[in-house]
């Protein structure tokens, strides 16, 4: 190693080829403390790549835990040898030293503390910046004296470091430093905000009243807002009459966070301004303020904002929810109805208003919504139907029945049917039942069945045997009732019974699984395959499935493999499915390959690699595909 180290060090410092010097710098990271000095010299290399490699190698040595390689603590040694670089005239070298020390300084905090006593204020500041960035292993009490340092930059760095260390014991000392120079006061305020120092609220309020600095006042308001407890209310309100327009805006935002707003005439305009002109980081605060003040003047602006949102944006639902929640928490009903009556809203805004009136369960809006139920735009009819369902007014039942039967648009009919189910309108039962017998679209059939169950489940189920196959299958596909599933299992139609069996798997209760295990013993191969698939849906791994792997029917084996892949642990899959890689039925082998591929790992890779020459082409292709993913 000694010979190699000398050769690498010589190459690092003398080779004309920069790529060779970089290689040497990288290799030296694997050596002991004797590599540190040449690496430090290489930090001044003319080539950037060599500098970066030397930097990273010093960090690697400094954080090494390999006690056998080093005679002393490598982190402490690297720190000791890098610290002098902080005095270099070239800024790049000083910054590189800071980068290295930030990564390894926690290994030798006592050496960093020594920087705080240095005669050079820049070095003292470097030490504080390192402590703030490293955090781990440092004691905030060591920093407090530097809040009184003769150098303002050092005092500011000390305040920042105390905040970064979350050293709450320093709060009284920070309060004493509030009236320091502008830049120091700024960092003291930031530290108090980080520390959530509510005991400093009054002192910050006094600073607000006394300071002439726009920067300090802005940061003081920000700090009080970030502290965010009741103790900041009084200082903010005391300064509010003296504040500039921009400061008032920030005070209002701070008070909203606390949940208290001043009773002032210009609060309304300020809140509306934030909502209209602010970005989406500010708008939630404005909406909270609107709710706190029950500001109904904001209703039209909220609706306008909702109408302007692009539904294709990823956060559309979140933003719409914020806007609608605000309307739901103020007295917005009359304003929303007025907006609809004026009929000047654009499409999206109108749909938003209709939806909001529905969530408000506005009885006053019903006559207007009934008119809109016949609007030329189908989306307005859909929104109106849903809103009427939310409101659940008996006067809307007949118009909704008409829409559910006569509307030319399937989605409108579905919304009207859903609304009737939400209302649980007994008067709609017979019309919907009649519609069920002639409806062709599966999604509409499902909606009708769901609504009929909502209206009167017992009445609907009493005639279950008379319903056509599509209706029974739909019922099996949506129900989570074991009693209903049992009824459907008794039907003569085989497709209905299969759907009911799959419903048992979806239900997945102990009783449902017991029934599936019973059905697996059926002489009917189709019933048996369906029951196996349902066990897979229930993610139930059973000895019965293992037995099915040996069934003489290849498709039984196939479905058993598929079911096991959904419900069995990787170890079981490898143990039980490996023999089936030699199954004579290719679909079974392909299913096994897919299942093992989902497990992955070196064991599976070896198993599948041994079968790459399988005689069946499709099997070979599937093995190659799975091997490429492992």
């Amino acid at each position: 190693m000694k010979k190699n180290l000398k050769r690498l060090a010589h190459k690092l410092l003398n080779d004309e080829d920069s790529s060779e010097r970089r290689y040497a710098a990288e290799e030296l990271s694997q050596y002991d403390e004797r590599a540190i000095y040449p690496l430090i010299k290489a930090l001044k290399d003319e080539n950037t790549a060599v500098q970066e490699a030397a930097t990273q190698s010093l960090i690697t040595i400094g954080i090494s835990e390999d006690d056998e390689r080093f005679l002393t603590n490598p982190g402490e040694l690297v720190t000791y040898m890098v610290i002098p670089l902080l005095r270099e005239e070239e800024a790049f070298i000083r910054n590189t030293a800071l980068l290295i020390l930030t990564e390894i300084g926690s290994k030798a905090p006592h050496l960093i503390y020594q920087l705080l006593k240095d005669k050079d204020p820049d070095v003292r500041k470097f030490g504080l910046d390192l402590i703030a960035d490293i955090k781990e292993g440092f004691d905030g009490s060591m920093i407090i004296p530097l809040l009184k340092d003769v150098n303002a930059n050092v005092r500011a760095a000390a305040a920042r470091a105390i905040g970064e260390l979350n050293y709450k014991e320093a709060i009284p000392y920070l309060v004493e430093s509030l009236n320091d120079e502008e830049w120091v006061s700024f960092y003291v305020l930031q530290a108090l905000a980080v520390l959530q120092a509510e005991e400093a609220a009054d002192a910050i309020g006094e600073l607000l009243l006394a300071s002439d600095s726009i920067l300090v006042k802005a940061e003081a308001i920000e700090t009080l807002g970030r502290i965010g407890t009741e103790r900041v209310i009084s200082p903010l309100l005391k300064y509010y009459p003296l504040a500039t327009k921009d400061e008032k805006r920030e005070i209002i935002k701070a008070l909203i966070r606390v949940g208290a707003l001043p009773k002032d005439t210009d609060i309304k305009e300020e809140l509306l301004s934030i909502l209209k002109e602010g970005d989406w980081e500010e708008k939630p605060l404005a909406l909270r303020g609107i709710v706190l003040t029950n500001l109904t003047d904001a209703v039209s602006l909220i609706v306008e904002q909702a109408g302007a949102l692009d539904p294709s944006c990823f956060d559309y639902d979140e933003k719409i929810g914020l806007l609608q929640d605000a309307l739901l928490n103020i007295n917005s009903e009359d304003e929303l109805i007025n907006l609809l009556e004026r009929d000047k809203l654009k499409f999206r805004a109108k749909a938003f208003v209709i939806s909001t009136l529905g969530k408000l369960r506005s009885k006053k809006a019903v006559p207007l919504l009934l008119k809109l139920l016949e609007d030329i735009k189908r989306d307005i009819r859909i929104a109106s139907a849903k809103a009427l369902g939310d409101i659940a007014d008996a006067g809307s039942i007949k118009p909704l029945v008409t829409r559910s039967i006569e509307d030319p648009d399937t989605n409108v009919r579905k919304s009207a049917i859903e609304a009737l189910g939400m209302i649980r309108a007994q008067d709609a039962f017979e019309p919907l039942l009649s519609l069920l017998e002639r409806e062709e679209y599966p999604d509409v059939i499902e909606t009708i069945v769901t609504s009929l169950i909502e209206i009167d489940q017992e009445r609907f189920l009493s005639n279950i045997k008379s319903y056509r196959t599509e209706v029974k299958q739909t019922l099996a596909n949506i129900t989570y009732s074991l009693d209903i599933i049992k009824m459907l299992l008794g039907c003569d139609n085989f497709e209905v019974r299969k759907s009911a069996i799959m419903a048992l798997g979806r239900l997945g209760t102990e009783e449902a699984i017991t029934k599936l295990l019973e059905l697996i013993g059926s002489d009917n191969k189709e019933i048996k395959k369906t029951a196996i698939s349902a066990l897979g849906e229930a993610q139930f791994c059973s000895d019965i499935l293992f037995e099915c792997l040996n069934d003489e029917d290849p498709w039984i084996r196939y479905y058993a493999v598929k079911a096991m892949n959904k419900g069995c642990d990787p170890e079981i899959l490898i143990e039980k499915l490996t023999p089936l890689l030699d199954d004579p039925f290719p679909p079974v082998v392909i299913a096994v390959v897919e299942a093992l591929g989902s497990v992955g790992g070196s064991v599976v890779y070896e198993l599948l690699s041994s079968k790459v020459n399988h005689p069946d082409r499709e099997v070979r292709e599937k093995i190659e595909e799975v091997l490429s993913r492992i």
Side-chain angles (χ1 to χ4, degrees):
M1 176 182 283
K2 182 177 180 179
K3 182 178 179 181
N4 288 341
L5 188 149
K6 286 184 176 181
R7 180 176 57 79
L8 287 170
H10 184 270
K11 180 180 290 188
L12 172 63
L13 301 177
N14 299 290
D15 202 294
E16 294 182 0
D17 187 342
S18 61
S19 63
E20 289 294 323
R21 298 198 304 276
R22 177 180 59 79
Y23 168 77
E26 292 172 347
E27 286 296 302
L28 284 171
S29 68
Q30 306 300 316
Y31 287 78
D32 58 30
E33 55 267 24
R34 291 170 295 175
I36 297 173
Y37 180 71
L39 286 169
I40 287 178
K41 291 194 70 175
L43 293 176
K44 297 181 180 181
D45 194 283
E46 61 184 21
N47 184 274
T48 302
V50 177
Q51 295 168 357
E52 292 176 352
T55 299
Q56 189 55 53
S57 289
L58 285 167
I59 292 171
T60 300
I61 292 172
I63 63 175
S64 174
E65 300 291 340
D66 186 356
D67 296 334
E68 295 182 1
R69 196 189 343 158
F70 299 96
L71 298 176
T72 185
N73 179 349
E76 183 175 348
L77 186 56
V78 174
T79 300
Y80 178 78
M81 295 184 70
V82 168
I83 280 176
L85 299 180
L86 296 174
R87 302 180 189 281
E88 291 283 339
E89 292 184 7
E90 192 175 350
F92 169 76
I93 296 297
R94 295 198 303 271
N95 291 335
T96 301
L98 287 171
L99 174 63
I100 295 169
L101 292 171
T102 299
E103 295 294 326
I104 67 172
S106 61
K107 302 286 186 178
H110 62 285
L111 295 177
I112 306 297
Y113 285 140
Q114 289 179 13
L115 299 176
L116 307 184
K117 301 175 184 179
D118 198 278
K119 292 181 180 180
D120 186 340
D122 287 339
V123 175
R124 297 199 298 276
K125 182 182 180 300
F126 287 149
L128 289 165
D129 289 341
L130 285 167
I131 291 172
D133 292 335
I134 298 169
K135 300 180 183 64
E136 180 187 351
F138 289 95
D139 181 359
S141 65
M142 301 290 288
I143 302 171
I144 290 175
L146 283 94
L147 289 171
K148 301 293 185 182
D149 195 277
V150 295
N151 184 277
N153 286 332
V154 173
R155 298 197 298 274
R160 172 178 173 260
I162 286 170
E164 291 295 327
L165 293 181
N166 199 30
Y167 189 65
K168 293 183 179 293
E169 290 80 357
I171 290 174
Y173 302 97
L174 290 169
V175 170
E176 290 179 9
S177 300
L178 276 171
N179 294 308
D180 205 321
E181 295 179 29
E182 179 184 69
W183 194 239
V184 179
S185 182
F186 176 85
Y187 277 100
V188 169
L189 286 165
Q190 285 197 333
L192 290 170
V194 170
L195 296 172
Q196 294 286 288
E198 62 175 322
E199 60 266 52
D202 291 338
I204 296 172
E206 292 173 7
L207 178 66
L208 257 180
L209 293 169
S211 178
D212 295 326
S213 168
I214 296 174
L215 174 68
V216 168
K217 287 183 177 183
E219 192 60 32
I221 294 168
E222 173 72 16
T223 296
L224 290 171
R226 288 175 64 187
I227 291 172
T229 65
E230 291 186 1
R231 289 188 64 171
V232 308
I233 297 173
S234 177
L236 288 170
L237 290 180
K238 191 177 292 185
Y239 180 69
Y240 186 79
L242 306 173
T244 65
K245 178 174 173 52
D246 289 340
E247 288 173 344
K248 284 183 176 180
R249 182 169 183 159
E250 294 306 312
I251 289 172
I252 289 170
K253 287 159 62 177
L255 288 169
I256 290 171
R257 292 189 185 99
V258 183
L261 284 171
K263 305 298 182 184
D264 195 281
T265 53
D266 65 353
I267 292 297
K268 176 180 77 173
E269 295 305 321
E270 196 60 58
L271 288 172
L272 294 177
S273 174
I274 296 172
L275 180 61
K276 185 175 183 179
E277 301 168 5
D279 56 32
W280 269 99
E281 290 183 0
E282 293 182 305
K283 288 183 195 294
L285 277 177
L287 292 169
R288 282 175 60 186
I290 288 164
V291 171
L292 285 171
T293 56
N294 191 34
L295 184 56
T296 56
D297 289 357
V299 171
S300 61
L301 182 55
I302 292 174
V303 170
E304 180 186 323
Q305 297 267 312
L309 290 174
D310 184 354
S312 64
C313 290
F314 74 96
D315 56 356
Y316 174 79
D317 291 338
E318 179 186 350
K319 290 176 178 177
I320 280 288
L322 285 170
L323 294 167
Q324 192 166 70
D325 285 346
L327 293 176
L328 297 176
N329 285 286
I330 63 175
N331 298 330
S332 63
E333 182 181 22
D334 291 340
E335 286 293 324
L336 291 170
I337 291 173
N338 288 337
L339 287 172
L340 277 185
E341 288 176 338
R342 291 181 207 141
D343 198 26
K344 293 184 179 180
L345 294 173
K346 294 182 179 179
F347 157 67
R348 288 176 188 160
K350 182 183 284 189
F352 174 74
V353 170
I354 292 169
S355 170
T356 305
L357 286 168
K359 292 183 185 302
L360 284 170
R361 291 176 169 75
S362 171
K363 297 287 185 181
K364 293 181 186 178
V366 169
L368 192 53
L369 293 175
L370 289 174
K371 290 181 183 179
L372 292 169
L373 194 59
E374 299 180 5
D375 194 274
I376 191 171
K377 291 186 174 67
R378 70 136 194 183
D379 287 344
I380 297 300
R381 301 201 301 277
I382 290 171
S384 300
K386 290 180 177 179
L388 289 166
D390 287 326
I391 297 167
D393 183 84
S396 63
I397 294 174
K398 187 174 180 181
L400 284 170
V401 169
T402 301
R403 280 297 112 203
S404 67
I405 296 172
E406 299 179 1
D407 200 282
D409 188 274
T410 302
N411 289 308
V412 176
R413 289 167 51 216
K414 280 178 62 179
S415 296
I417 294 164
E418 286 173 359
L420 290 167
M422 293 170 67
I423 298 171
R424 299 189 176 180
Q426 290 291 334
D427 293 347
F429 189 91
E430 287 298 334
L432 290 181
L433 193 62
S434 176
L435 180 62
L436 183 62
E437 288 305 311
R438 60 179 185 273
E439 182 57 57
E440 297 178 0
Y441 293 106
D443 57 336
V444 181
I445 292 174
E446 180 178 321
T447 305
I448 297 171
V449 170
T450 301
S451 291
L452 285 170
I453 290 174
E454 289 287 339
I455 294 169
D456 193 336
Q457 176 173 304
E458 185 176 349
R459 185 178 174 188
F460 176 72
L461 295 178
S462 65
N463 295 316
I464 193 169
K465 291 184 178 179
S466 67
Y467 300 139
R468 57 196 172 114
T469 298
E470 292 84 355
V471 173
K472 293 174 185 174
Q473 282 185 284
T474 297
L475 181 58
N477 292 335
I478 66 172
T479 188
Y480 281 88
S481 166
L482 186 59
D483 290 336
I484 294 176
I485 294 171
K486 286 180 177 178
M487 288 183 191
L488 296 169
L489 286 171
C491 289
D492 294 333
N493 186 283
F494 183 68
E495 294 302 319
V496 173
R497 290 168 63 196
K498 285 176 64 175
S499 296
I501 293 169
M502 292 304 297
L504 288 171
R506 188 177 67 250
L507 186 60
T509 63
E510 184 177 344
E511 190 174 354
I513 288 173
T514 299
K515 185 64 178 175
L516 285 174
L517 294 175
E518 176 188 321
L519 290 168
I520 285 180
S522 171
D523 292 333
N524 186 309
K525 296 290 187 181
E526 292 303 314
I527 293 292
K528 186 170 185 175
K529 284 187 285 189
T530 306
I532 291 170
S533 296
L535 272 185
E537 291 300 313
Q539 297 185 354
F540 185 78
C541 195
S542 166
D543 289 342
I544 291 182
L545 282 178
F546 306 157
E547 293 172 9
C548 292
L549 295 176
N550 299 315
D551 198 280
E552 61 181 15
D553 186 323
W555 287 110
I556 297 291
R557 301 197 300 273
Y558 174 84
Y559 281 101
V561 172
K562 290 286 190 181
M564 287 177 61
N565 191 26
K566 292 182 178 180
C568 294
D569 292 335
E571 297 80 6
I572 293 176
L573 288 178
I574 294 174
E575 177 190 350
K576 301 295 183 181
L577 297 186
T578 297
L580 274 77
L581 285 170
D582 296 317
D583 194 278
F585 190 54
V588 170
V589 182
I590 290 172
V592 170
V593 171
E594 289 176 343
L596 293 177
S598 67
V599 174
S602 58
V603 173
V604 170
Y605 191 90
E606 288 185 21
L607 282 172
L608 297 184
S609 296
S610 67
K611 304 296 180 182
V612 290
N613 295 319
H614 195 280
D616 185 88
R617 178 180 58 81
E618 291 185 5
V619 172
R620 291 196 304 273
E621 290 176 353
K622 175 57 65 175
I623 290 173
E624 289 174 4
E625 174 196 327
V626 171
L627 284 174
S628 69
R629 298 198 308 260
I630 297 178

